[in-house]
Amino acid sequence: MKLPILLVFGIISVLFYAQPSFGHGVGGETLPPVVIDGKNATLSLFVNPPTFDKNTGEYEILLKLYETNTQAVIPHVTYFVEISKDGEKLLNERFHDDSSNLSIKVTPKNTNQVKIQGSNFGELGWMKNTDLFPLKVEGPIFLSGGLYKFHIQVLTINADSNKLDPPVTFDVSISLAEKTDHPISYQNKDYSLGIMSYYDTISEFEFDEQSRTISFSMPYDWSQQNIAQTNVVHQEIHVPKTFPELLVTKYDGLVNGIPVPEYAITIDDYTTDSRVVHLVLNQKELLSIVDSIQDKSKMEFVVSPSAEDKFPLSAYTQNAVFQVGLSWEPTPIIPEQKTRFYIDITRYFAPKIQEDAKFDFVVKQHGKELYRKPITGLIGAQEKTNFHDYTFTKENLGPAIISIESINGEKMSSVDYVIVVRPQEEKRTFPIRIPSTTPDGTQGKHFVDLTWIPENLQPGEAEFIFTIYDRNLQPVPNAEYDFVLIQNGQQIYENSGIAKAGGSFENMVFFEQHKGPVTLAIRNIDQSGESVDLPIVVTPEFPLGLILVMVSTFSVVIVLSKLNKKTGHILRYPF
């Protein structure tokens, strides 16, 4: 990511959240003022660089005590500094600086003791020898990213002999942001997903190939006291732009099993090689869910592609002058079918002002420019005023980039979006025949034909109709089974039954919280231990007119199914 883009994103984040961008201080914290020796004093603490990298040879701790109102530095400050991580003390020393601008150079080294280079003045502690020879500390500090706790006491101010009784104490936690890479496999292709944690070190990373769900956790103290010190918890998921199945327009998220607000997950396509999915929770949101948290020792994250699209995609130009929204129809984008792209442009600081606009509509793929067209439109107009049609070919399958470039001639007034050209889906034909598998993963001795109504599953009642066959495709009479629906690793429905003449059905009512990927499983078929699994998707509700049509059809089939069960015959439906 280029430096100007970093600055723009930082500015936007601050404006949007109207509070410090990161909780517990990512790399730094300025504490609330306190009264010390009759003065309003503020302490600031920073660690530079603020991001952990195992190749970083040296970090710098900066401590500054100053008058809150005048910003004047308070001189002759003696600090007692204690640093700990995960309950282990890493440093426990006194330091002094006549100007109060204490700088400590830290060299991470995996040793059993801490070495300090400087002059030791007893009760005043360690001081730098000269400006050419600063204070240096070598030891097991900043060997990893995550949350570091600083316990700081101010022992003297204004004069070396002016000892404070009692000392003034500050407790602050500083996070060293850390990026970890996680190799995964999807449909026999290898990718690497990155997680940037701006709070603490993550663990328990998992990727579920069937549902494309990403999950991980990190240590977190869910006490009211700790939440009060947490401004924001921020995690980033870095998705390769070569991974089309994970480049969706919307993601759903859970924290400790609780859905996060839609606005808490945002998409950033600025980087050249990956999409960044931001998950940001502020203090208010943490307080709203804390009473529902069971395990109060950690924070568990689950992020998965949403079953619905979110439009428009929104981003700011590189110079932060314009906000640009992009949407398209129909969805998904498929080759040999015209796609209409809508481009909504507003001035960030004057969104209601309407003016003429000229820009280039550009299509890129695999590092090459496929198409460029100058467009004349309007800034500040109603949504979908500006549009352009483009048709992809079968050679364009996979990720592509739509660029809106040089708005009104300004090169930096440009923005990129990642889109995916998907193959034409074959219409599902029912019934679906699935071979069973044994517990050790080999093919079993059964087949299951499966049908469901309505075909497009959505919140509401659905019926799953299935027939169990043996290897010779003969219905298995009185076959016992366990019917299970699983979502996000948890069972949402389970029922055991007997398939007379090999056939049976199960009714299920889906609710709004069930939207998204679901695994349908029929287990322990005919007491053999064999099972079949099938991924399905519960989509958002349809328009009212289509619902009425589906309900009418659904009601007839329910009646037929119940009559079928009473008579003991299996009726085949012409789907």
Side-chain angles (χ1 to χ4, degrees):
M1 185 180 289
K2 298 179 181 178
L3 181 59
I5 296 175
L6 274 173
L7 294 174
V8 169
F9 186 77
I11 293 169
I12 293 168
S13 298
V14 172
L15 290 172
F16 183 79
Y17 291 105
Q19 58 181 329
S21 295
F22 307 106
H24 267 294
V26 173
E29 187 82 41
T30 298
L31 300 178
V34 297
V35 177
I36 304 179
D37 206 22
K39 295 181 178 180
N40 285 325
T42 297
L43 179 74
S44 64
L45 169 64
F46 290 91
V47 176
N48 186 44
T51 302
F52 172 75
D53 187 328
K54 64 182 180 180
N55 297 317
T56 300
E58 185 177 80
Y59 292 85
E60 183 179 22
I61 298 174
L62 293 168
L63 269 171
K64 179 181 177 181
L65 189 70
Y66 56 92
E67 292 189 41
T68 306
N69 298 330
T70 65
Q71 307 291 304
V73 171
I74 298 175
H76 299 284
V77 178
T78 301
Y79 298 98
F80 170 78
V81 179
E82 179 182 287
I83 304 176
S84 62
K85 187 177 190 291
D86 300 328
E88 180 182 356
K89 290 184 180 179
L90 307 176
L91 181 68
N92 190 9
E93 290 288 348
R94 293 187 180 200
F95 299 94
H96 183 88
D97 194 278
D98 287 339
S99 69
S100 173
N101 287 312
L102 178 64
S103 171
I104 306 172
K105 305 287 187 179
V106 178
T107 301
K109 196 167 186 179
N110 194 10
T111 57
N112 294 325
Q113 59 182 0
V114 172
K115 294 182 180 180
I116 301 178
Q117 296 180 22
S119 300
N120 192 342
F121 287 84
E123 287 190 355
L124 290 179
W126 292 89
M127 296 181 63
K128 62 184 178 182
N129 291 323
T130 65
D131 289 336
L132 296 177
F133 298 96
L135 268 172
K136 289 190 175 183
V137 172
E138 180 184 280
I141 308 170
F142 305 143
L143 289 174
S144 63
L147 197 65
Y148 288 81
K149 294 185 177 181
F150 287 74
H151 176 74
I152 300 168
Q153 292 183 346
V154 176
L155 306 177
T156 69
I157 66 168
N158 294 328
D160 294 349
S161 59
N162 184 25
K163 298 180 181 179
L164 300 178
D165 187 18
V168 176
T169 300
F170 299 89
D171 287 294
V172 59
S173 296
I174 301 296
S175 293
L176 278 189
E178 180 178 14
K179 184 173 185 278
T180 53
D181 294 309
H182 306 271
I184 65 164
S185 178
Y186 183 81
Q187 295 183 351
N188 298 319
K189 294 182 180 179
D190 295 329
Y191 301 97
S192 180
L193 295 178
I195 305 292
M196 176 73 85
S197 176
Y198 289 98
Y199 190 90
D200 209 342
T201 304
I202 73 157
S203 60
E204 301 179 307
F205 176 90
E206 291 184 3
F207 175 75
D208 183 86
E209 182 175 0
Q210 198 168 64
S211 63
R212 296 170 293 159
T213 295
I214 301 163
S215 60
F216 56 94
S217 67
M218 73 174 186
Y220 186 75
D221 175 10
W222 283 93
S223 66
Q224 294 284 344
Q225 180 182 2
N226 189 58
I227 294 176
Q229 298 175 357
T230 306
N231 291 322
V232 169
V233 172
H234 182 187
Q235 306 288 351
E236 292 179 356
I237 301 173
H238 294 233
V239 180
K241 290 184 179 177
T242 56
F243 191 171
E245 293 82 2
L246 212 53
L247 298 174
V248 296
T249 62
K250 182 184 177 184
Y251 298 87
D252 295 328
L254 302 173
V255 170
N256 290 54
I258 301 171
V260 303
E262 183 175 310
Y263 59 79
I265 300 180
T266 57
I267 296 172
D268 170 11
D269 280 331
Y270 278 124
T271 56
T272 56
D273 58 348
S274 65
R275 162 181 285 185
V276 180
V277 181
H278 298 270
L279 195 160
V280 182
L281 295 173
N282 61 34
Q283 187 182 90
K284 181 180 178 182
E285 287 148 5
L286 297 176
L287 288 170
S288 70
I289 66 175
V290 63
D291 291 338
S292 302
I293 301 299
Q294 299 298 317
D295 186 348
K296 289 186 164 53
S297 66
K298 62 181 179 179
M299 192 174 288
E300 299 171 312
F301 303 91
V302 176
V303 176
S304 59
S306 176
E308 59 186 12
D309 286 312
K310 178 184 178 181
F311 288 130
L313 301 180
S314 183
Y316 294 87
T317 56
Q318 297 175 29
N319 55 10
V321 173
F322 298 101
Q323 182 177 8
V324 182
L326 182 73
S327 59
W328 57 86
E329 56 187 23
T331 60
I333 300 173
I334 60 176
E336 312 300 340
Q337 178 175 299
K338 182 177 69 177
T339 301
R340 174 158 292 186
F341 291 93
Y342 296 97
I343 306 102
D344 302 317
I345 305 173
T346 57
R347 282 193 178 271
Y348 180 59
F349 294 104
K352 296 183 179 180
I353 295 179
Q354 191 171 115
E355 57 185 295
D356 293 336
K358 292 184 178 180
F359 57 89
D360 287 347
F361 178 90
V362 186
V363 181
K364 306 171 188 174
Q365 193 174 48
H366 309 312
K368 297 181 179 179
E369 185 175 305
L370 305 180
Y371 179 81
R372 179 181 292 268
K373 177 71 174 179
I375 304 293
T376 299
L378 287 174
I379 295 171
Q382 291 183 347
E383 285 188 2
K384 298 186 175 182
T385 297
N386 308 318
F387 63 87
H388 187 67
D389 296 335
Y390 185 77
T391 302
F392 291 92
T393 67
K394 293 180 180 179
E395 287 71 36
N396 299 140
L397 292 177
I401 295 175
I402 300 295
S403 297
I404 308 302
E405 294 186 357
S406 301
I407 299 175
N408 283 349
E410 290 290 336
K411 185 177 180 180
M412 295 295 290
S413 291
S414 302
V415 66
D416 295 336
Y417 299 91
V418 177
I419 57 100
V420 177
V421 182
R422 306 189 185 278
Q424 177 75 53
E425 292 186 3
E426 295 183 5
K427 183 174 177 60
R428 187 191 301 274
T429 58
F430 284 140
I432 301 170
R433 177 159 294 168
I434 314 166
S436 67
T437 56
T438 64
D440 62 7
T442 60
Q443 184 169 337
K445 299 179 180 179
H446 298 88
F447 291 91
V448 176
D449 280 5
L450 183 65
T451 302
W452 58 82
I453 304 170
E455 179 179 344
N456 294 300
L457 298 172
Q458 60 183 16
E461 189 172 6
E463 183 176 50
F464 297 89
I465 306 162
F466 55 92
T467 303
I468 299 172
Y469 296 97
D470 62 19
R471 182 177 291 177
N472 297 317
L473 294 181
Q474 296 299 311
V476 179
N478 299 317
E480 297 184 18
Y481 65 87
D482 296 325
F483 184 90
V484 184
L485 294 174
I486 304 165
Q487 189 171 54
N488 297 324
Q490 297 182 346
Q491 291 186 6
I492 60 174
Y493 179 84
E494 181 179 10
N495 189 48
S496 299
I498 299 176
K500 295 181 179 180
S504 188
F505 69 89
E506 293 286 340
N507 288 333
M508 169 67 182
V509 178
F510 291 105
F511 296 95
E512 286 294 319
Q513 63 264 33
H514 296 143
K515 290 188 299 185
V518 177
T519 298
L520 185 159
I522 300 177
R523 295 176 173 169
N524 198 24
I525 298 172
D526 200 27
Q527 297 185 334
S528 65
E530 298 175 10
S531 63
V532 298
D533 291 73
L534 183 71
I536 59 177
V537 176
V538 180
T539 60
E541 294 187 47
F542 294 144
L544 180 59
L546 184 55
I547 288 178
L548 294 176
V549 174
M550 295 294 287
V551 166
S552 300
T553 306
F554 179 68
S555 302
V556 172
V557 174
I558 293 293
V559 172
L560 290 175
S561 300
K562 292 182 178 179
L563 287 173
N564 163 43
K565 198 158 190 176
K566 288 180 180 180
T567 59
H569 296 292
I570 301 301
L571 300 179
R572 309 299 291 180
Y573 304 108
F575 293 105

